[in-house]
Amino acid sequence: MNLPNKLTVLRVIMIPFFMAALLVDKIPFNIFIALAFFAIASITDWFDGKIARKYSLVTTFGKFLDPLADKMLVMAAICCFSALGWIDVVAVVIILGREFMVSALRLVTAGDGVVVAAGIWGKLKTAFTMIAIVAILALEGFGIHNMIVNEVLIWISTVLTIISGAQYLKAYWPHIDSSK
């Protein structure tokens, strides 16, 4: 297993530690610990892709697990945020729906030998969502529970999520159009 794939696996392994730190409020500075786990996991996402491309270490395993790890990390965070009452559950459902749709699209197109690569809107959505999650964690960690800020951040992420999902559907519609 190459270094980029190890970083991706590390990101997946960090998810339950992130969740435990966030949800167990008896842990001193739990939100900051969760923030550290999330930030480190997010940074591994940037590094694994950069290393894989620079040193030609792109693998089928990495193409499969990297986007899945991203989705798992973000879904874990937003589900926890919703459970804690920090964000609107409607935004969570929309984001989760898009993630499942894109994952299903990847499965369908794989049958045609097509890999659904992350587009610019998908990358923008992922980057902004991770930044929004870090911002929400930081605010909450400092005891600044501001639902307006949390909602603005998560709804910007949701709009980017809808746009990127629509872009994927438009680009790969011929693979799912049942009339063909």
Side-chain angles (χ1 to χ4, degrees):
M1 183 177 294
N2 64 32
L3 179 58
N5 290 343
K6 287 178 182 176
L7 289 171
T8 301
V9 169
L10 176 63
R11 188 160 66 255
V12 172
I13 291 169
M14 292 176 75
I15 294 169
F17 294 100
F18 158 75
M19 292 178 68
L22 184 58
L23 296 174
V24 179
D25 60 0
K26 294 186 188 297
I27 299 172
F29 304 105
N30 70 311
I31 296 173
F32 290 111
I33 295 168
L35 174 58
F37 276 117
F38 189 87
I40 293 166
S42 296
I43 291 167
T44 67
D45 180 37
W46 183 78
F47 275 116
D48 69 30
K50 188 170 183 73
I51 293 167
R53 286 184 296 277
K54 183 175 182 177
Y55 296 104
S56 299
L57 297 172
V58 175
T59 65
T60 302
F61 178 78
K63 288 179 190 177
F64 165 75
L65 190 59
D66 182 67
L68 184 60
D70 295 343
K71 289 176 189 341
M72 291 170 60
L73 180 62
V74 168
M75 287 193 278
I78 64 173
C79 286
C80 288
F81 287 4
S82 180
L84 292 166
W86 295 355
I87 62 171
D88 185 6
V89 70
V90 174
V92 173
V93 171
I94 292 169
I95 292 169
L96 292 176
R98 181 266 187 204
E99 299 303 346
F100 284 122
M101 185 269 303
V102 170
S103 294
L105 186 59
R106 282 191 165 101
L107 288 172
V108 168
T109 60
D112 294 339
V114 175
V115 174
V116 176
I120 187 66
W121 283 101
K123 291 178 181 182
L124 180 62
K125 180 265 318 172
T126 299
F128 185 86
T129 302
M130 289 185 169
I131 291 166
I133 290 168
V134 167
I136 291 169
L137 283 166
L139 288 170
E140 295 290 342
F142 285 112
I144 304 168
H145 178 71
N146 188 324
M147 280 301 290
I148 294 171
V149 172
N150 290 0
E151 290 297 328
V152 167
L153 290 171
I154 204 64
W155 279 102
I156 291 171
S157 293
T158 303
V159 168
L160 292 171
T161 294
I162 292 167
I163 292 169
S164 69
Q167 291 294 319
Y168 283 118
L169 271 179
K170 180 181 175 188
Y172 296 98
W173 186 255
H175 297 280
I176 58 174
D177 186 359
S178 62
S179 66
K180 293 185 181 188

